[in-house]
Amino acid sequence: MYVDLKGKNVLITGGSSGIGLGLADALGALGANVIIVARDVIKGKNAEEELRSRGIMANFIPVDVTCKKQVVELISKSVNMLGTLDILINNAGINIRKALIDIEEDDWDQVIGINLKGSFLVGQAAAKQMIIQNSGTIINISSILGGIGFPLQSSYAASKGGLNQLTKVWAEELAPYNITVNAISPGYIETNINQQWLSDPKRRQIIENSTMLKRLGNIKDLYGLVLLLVSESSRYITGQIINVDGGWRAGN
């Protein structure tokens, strides 16, 4: 499958590191104009410079995705800068791992706020622009934990389960405007964000043994599906929650 993204404009939340930065790199390398969004200005600027050093047309806009005013301004700035918004990748997210009885209210509010409310606000604002254009692609980065029970993940699993449901509802509502909406549910993808969590050899072995391919994923394992979903080859795919998990869900 040949994918040419020249002239396509992509917005990626949580784009300063991990999966978001990896996807910005992959899509930018195929010619897309990329706007990366993050709260941390230093990380965002460093990511922008890193992408530009590889010849990618990248711009960083600092935004707190839980603030509706900032999100509305983000979409306005993006359209003023690039002209259209063709692709949104809703990737911003955090995880606070605690047992049910230890979760503080602030822990819950942070995770649900960024992962679910933030995705909703950005998706809502982007959808308004895409409806005007009568076209667009929205990809929500979910997790296999949005569909299974796993210890220490109450807030995170709830946020990703909610994101899965938003994906289905948005797909139904936006289909008349030629906008597709899908979610990617990664398994354990090794990034700088979760290195400490995965550094425990015992924990790592349990995860690897529970995965059919007997290894953790890496960011490049997501590229194939993302490239499919942003290409014309996927125009008949919408409302789907697609696992990229090395066989975890099928084997557990």
Side-chain angles (χ1 to χ4, degrees):
M1 178 182 63
Y2 175 72
V3 180
D4 183 359
L5 296 179
K6 289 176 183 174
K8 295 293 185 181
N9 302 317
V10 182
L11 190 151
I12 303 177
T13 66
S16 64
S17 62
I19 289 173
L21 181 57
L23 296 182
D25 194 8
L27 299 182
L30 294 173
N33 304 310
V34 179
I35 292 177
I36 54 174
V37 176
R39 291 180 298 174
D40 190 311
V41 174
I42 294 176
K43 283 185 178 179
K45 282 292 185 184
N46 288 342
E48 179 188 73
E49 292 176 10
E50 179 183 339
L51 293 169
R52 287 184 175 183
S53 71
R54 292 200 283 276
I56 292 170
M57 182 65 72
N59 289 281
F60 164 64
I61 301 179
V63 171
D64 177 353
V65 295
T66 68
C67 175
K68 183 170 183 175
K69 183 175 183 291
Q70 290 187 35
V71 168
V72 171
E73 290 174 352
L74 164 67
I75 300 303
S76 178
K77 286 179 184 177
S78 300
V79 174
N80 287 338
M81 187 184 301
L82 301 177
T84 62
L85 177 58
D86 302 302
I87 299 162
L88 165 65
I89 299 181
N90 248 334
N91 171 70
I94 63 169
N95 192 358
I96 299 176
R97 300 175 179 88
K98 288 185 179 180
L100 169 62
I101 59 174
D102 295 325
I103 297 171
E104 301 289 345
E105 185 176 2
D106 185 59
D107 299 330
W108 175 270
D109 289 344
Q110 283 189 63
V111 174
I112 297 296
I114 293 173
N115 297 10
L116 188 55
K117 178 185 176 182
S119 294
F120 162 73
L121 290 176
V122 178
Q124 181 186 56
K128 290 179 180 179
Q129 173 61 32
M130 291 177 176
I131 286 172
I132 294 171
Q133 300 167 185
N134 199 45
S135 67
T137 299
I138 297 175
I139 300 173
N140 293 322
I141 303 299
S142 183
S143 167
I144 58 170
L145 297 179
I148 62 174
F150 206 76
L152 310 181
Q153 303 285 358
S154 288
S155 54
Y156 186 78
S159 72
K160 294 304 185 178
L163 186 57
N164 289 349
Q165 290 302 103
L166 286 183
T167 299
K168 297 173 185 179
V169 174
W170 294 357
E172 182 76 27
E173 291 187 9
L174 299 178
Y177 305 100
N178 299 307
I179 301 167
T180 60
V181 187
N182 294 286
I184 296 175
S185 292
Y188 279 91
I189 304 295
E190 195 164 17
T191 69
N192 59 318
I193 296 171
N194 58 24
Q195 276 181 344
Q196 184 176 358
W197 170 255
L198 295 171
S199 64
D200 182 324
K202 190 174 181 180
R203 180 182 296 132
R204 188 183 185 99
Q205 185 175 26
I206 290 172
I207 294 170
E208 290 176 345
N209 288 343
S210 299
T211 304
M212 286 184 179
L213 295 181
K214 303 304 178 189
R215 67 172 177 86
L216 298 176
N218 61 68
I219 296 171
K220 290 184 178 180
D221 289 322
L222 301 176
Y223 288 2
L225 179 56
V226 172
L227 294 182
L228 171 63
L229 293 178
V230 301
S231 75
E232 290 300 314
S233 298
S234 67
R235 297 313 298 169
Y236 203 59
I237 301 173
T238 195
Q240 303 305 305
I241 317 298
I242 306 172
N243 297 323
V244 182
D245 62 359
W248 177 297
R249 288 294 304 275
N252 288 280

